[in-house]
Amino acid sequence: MSSRTPSARAGARHGWLQALATVLAGLVAMGLVAALGLWAAGAADLPDNAFPRVVTATVVTAVGGAVELFGNADGLADTEAALTVMPLSVTLTGALVIAAGFLRPLRHGAVGSAGELAGWAARIAVLWLLALLGLSFASHQTFEVSLGEGLLDDLGDLFGLSPQVGFTTDVPLTAFFGLLWLAGVLVLALLVSREAPLPARLLRLHASVRPAAYAVVALLLAYVVIGVVVGLVVAGTRGHPAQTFAVLLLGLPNLVWPALTIGLGATWDGRVEGPFGLPMPQVLDEVLRTPDVSTLNLGTLAEHDGRVWWLLVADVVLLPAAGWLMARRSPARTPAWRHAVHMAVALALATLMICLVGRVSARYGLSVLGIGDLGGDLSGQLFLRPHLWGAVGLAVLWGLAAGFLGASLAQRLARHSDTHEGAAR
């Protein structure tokens, strides 16, 4: 007779094939979203059949991988290139698909004990690491750079220069950050799901952490849904649908999640110079395209467009709604002050995540024999960075207020419901 328990036999059925299906589904979904977004952005016209490698590089950066830019101009010219950005639409797609695949056997009770849970996560991690290595080695491409017209072009012809730029992947860093990203997705999925069983040592998280995690994730997804609706309206009414869909498919959370923090009162610094542009509304490009570093907050943006105050209105409505949702999923007798603390911690962590992954930095420059000075149409830079701890501090204050208001509303509605039920009897 077999000594294996029914739980162990059930867990064994969800092995390598199911883990492979989870990893492949996540990669296919991310690759499809990245390919459609890049196609809408015009990347399908890149020379040397570079489009597939640009897609793989986009997926690598979406999970925190390190894609490095390089230049080569035979020693007579200087090239400079750098890029730091996460295409968060691709990131979010992969996170949702992989989390769903990870939770599926948990919801059906096939994995229950801590050992089975760790084994299930380890299978996914091993296959994910192999996939990351494959993507990393495939993400390599070189492009020739046009010198334009005039003196630089003449010098290029004289000396036979053909400057090149390209990208490659830092494999060790990509493996490290890719595994760190996966761990974050799996842990967050376990915390958000109310149906997935927790090991006995972690059962206390079911009442204290899970409701707050669920509420904040719902808040972030609500902002994405609102952004999709606004983007579709813009695409249908203001023209340039391809550009709008490129933003939706590549960087929508890059817009709406910093907008959430700006609604809280947070400040971001940024600048746009040269041919670069941020995939953001025109008002942001106007504010950032200045000789000096620009400040982005409700006040500075409202000077250009008063509709920015709707960001504050959205936070005033949606944050207490998230607090109410958290209270509804919490034990009935939890005091309002404890809801407030839980919401403050969860919103502060979410804001910290937004500030870390929402940073944007890009620079490109070219000079030939010292002429060009990394300027003109052959150079440019952009960056967007938050005032990190100020944003986190504001999130704590908003979280306390939203958690308390949401809990008070939930308790009032519960008493009102109990009163009606008692009257009906």
Side-chain angles (χ1 to χ4, degrees):
M1 173 180 278
S2 174
S3 62
R4 300 181 67 189
T5 65
S7 176
R9 289 194 298 269
R13 289 199 296 270
H14 295 273
W16 291 102
L17 288 180
Q18 289 79 2
L20 179 61
T22 298
V23 171
L24 288 180
L27 290 176
V28 169
M30 296 175 76
L32 181 61
V33 171
L36 291 175
L38 291 168
W39 174 78
D45 298 327
L46 289 171
D48 301 326
N49 296 317
F51 183 68
R53 288 178 287 279
V54 174
V55 171
T56 59
T58 302
V59 173
V60 167
T61 58
V63 298
V67 174
E68 299 177 344
L69 303 183
F70 60 85
N72 181 11
D74 301 324
L76 297 177
D78 294 325
T79 60
E80 180 181 348
L83 176 65
T84 302
V85 63
M86 286 184 69
L88 292 180
S89 292
V90 182
T91 303
L92 180 61
T93 300
L96 292 175
V97 173
I98 291 176
F102 172 68
L103 291 175
R104 188 173 183 274
L106 304 183
R107 290 169 177 165
H108 291 82
V111 176
S113 70
E116 291 169 347
L117 180 62
W120 173 230
R123 293 185 186 98
I124 295 176
V126 169
L127 296 174
W128 178 252
L129 176 60
L130 294 176
L132 277 181
L133 293 176
L135 291 174
S136 298
F137 289 118
S139 300
H140 178 86
Q141 183 67 39
T142 302
F143 303 97
E144 290 191 2
V145 179
S146 172
L147 295 175
E149 299 178 355
L151 178 60
L152 289 180
D153 183 51
D154 294 338
L155 289 172
D157 291 339
L158 176 63
F159 292 100
L161 297 177
S162 56
Q164 296 178 331
V165 295
F167 60 85
T168 188
T169 306
D170 188 319
V171 177
L173 280 179
T174 296
F176 174 76
F177 285 112
L179 286 175
L180 188 64
W181 177 87
L182 178 67
V185 169
L186 299 186
V187 170
L188 187 59
L190 196 62
L191 292 178
V192 168
S193 175
R194 186 161 56 176
E195 299 176 355
L198 288 172
R201 294 180 180 179
L202 301 178
L203 284 178
R204 63 183 182 276
L205 300 180
H206 184 78
S208 60
V209 177
R210 274 183 161 176
Y214 179 86
V216 171
V217 169
L219 174 69
L220 296 177
L221 293 179
Y223 269 87
V224 172
V225 171
I226 293 172
V228 169
V229 173
V230 173
L232 292 176
V233 171
V234 170
T237 59
R238 298 189 181 180
H240 307 291
Q243 296 178 9
T244 302
F245 280 109
V247 172
L248 292 178
L249 291 166
L250 292 175
L252 179 60
N254 296 76
L255 299 179
V256 296
W257 291 347
L260 184 159
T261 67
I262 290 176
L264 299 178
T267 297
W268 293 62
D269 290 332
R271 187 184 179 194
V272 176
E273 177 188 20
F276 285 120
L278 285 170
M280 291 185 176
Q282 184 65 28
V283 60
L284 290 184
D285 191 75
E286 292 175 358
V287 173
L288 293 173
R289 201 172 287 277
T290 58
D292 299 318
V293 175
S294 300
T295 298
L296 296 180
N297 54 39
L298 284 172
T300 58
L301 293 174
E303 292 175 0
H304 292 77
D305 192 333
R307 290 173 297 180
V308 170
W309 289 109
W310 283 105
L311 298 179
L312 175 61
V313 175
D315 282 354
V316 168
V317 173
L318 292 179
L319 264 68
W324 172 83
L325 182 61
M326 178 188 65
R328 286 293 304 269
R329 295 175 69 94
S330 300
R333 296 185 179 181
T334 304
W337 68 266
R338 185 166 295 173
H339 286 302
V341 172
H342 291 170
M343 189 67 184
V345 173
L347 187 60
L349 291 175
T351 301
L352 178 62
M353 179 273 296
I354 292 171
C355 291
L356 293 177
V357 304
R359 297 168 180 261
V360 178
S361 175
R363 179 174 177 83
Y364 168 70
L366 172 67
S367 65
V368 178
L369 296 177
I371 300 175
D373 195 24
L374 302 177
D377 292 335
L378 295 175
S379 73
Q381 68 170 342
L382 69 85
F383 66 87
L384 187 65
R385 57 179 180 241
H387 292 188
L388 178 62
W389 298 115
V392 173
L394 287 166
V396 170
L397 296 177
W398 276 80
L400 289 171
F404 188 86
L405 289 174
S408 300
L409 177 61
Q411 292 169 0
R412 181 173 299 181
L413 292 176
R415 288 195 298 266
H416 183 72
S417 176
D418 292 340
T419 301
H420 276 278
E421 290 179 359
R425 294 193 187 100

